[in-house]
Amino acid sequence: GTGSSTVEAFLTASSNADCAAEVDAYMHTNVSGAQIVIACRQSGVFASRNYYRLALLADGTLTLAKVVSGTYTSLASTAYGTLSTGTPYTLRVEAIGTAIKAYVNGVQQLSVTDSAVTSGGGLALQIANPTTATTVGSSATGWAADAVRLYNT
């Protein structure tokens, strides 16, 4: 059958509300539906999480979103471009006051103003690699992460 192999990690920290989260991401193979997500201002537990998140999909779509009390809302999206396997992509989501920004390899890609998540000092990392009848989502397919960082800004 089809499904997804998802790995999530949450770090509750005592950073400032003005913070940024960053990850070095690598795509092992271009698997349709695979995505990597980095988030900042993370607080709360499973059903009531709050954070701002940046997702990069295997098809090159970049999405900036918020999760408030566990409810996902897309804020902005763009076609980043064709991705190459084995190439590192440094993803950064930054929340300073109400300015929420997304960067890839140090270049700003998206920017919005939003005041829904005003506190929380943790980060979240999610890697979702789809599973098909012939492919099991794993660290050898889709995305992998290295050097996850949380900054006070």
Side-chain angles (χ1 to χ4, degrees), residues 7 23-27 33-39 53-58 61-63 83 89 91 124-129 142-146 148:
V7 175
V23 63
D24 295 332
Y26 302 85
M27 188 170 43
Q35 69 174 338
I36 188 162
V37 176
I38 187 73
R53 61 176 258 165
L54 172 62
L56 181 58
L57 283 67
T61 301
L62 195 63
T63 303
L83 303 177
Y89 296 93
L91 308 178
L125 173 68
Q126 179 190 67
I127 299 173
N129 292 324
W143 289 101
D146 188 22
V148 179

Side-chain angles (χ1 to χ4, degrees), residues 19-44:
C19 59
E22 192 172 82
V23 63
D24 295 332
Y26 302 85
M27 188 170 43
H28 290 291
T29 56
N30 193 326
V31 178
S32 179
Q35 69 174 338
I36 188 162
V37 176
I38 187 73
C40 69
R41 279 195 190 160
Q42 197 284 132
S43 66

Side-chain angles (χ1 to χ4, degrees), residues 76-102:
S77 187
T78 190
Y80 177 72
T82 303
L83 303 177
S84 299
T85 57
T87 300
Y89 296 93
T90 300
L91 308 178
R92 179 182 175 104
V93 60
E94 183 178 273
I96 301 175
T98 59
I100 315 303
K101 298 177 183 178

Side-chain angles (χ1 to χ4, degrees), residues 35 45 99 112 140:
Q35 69 174 338
V45 294
V112 298

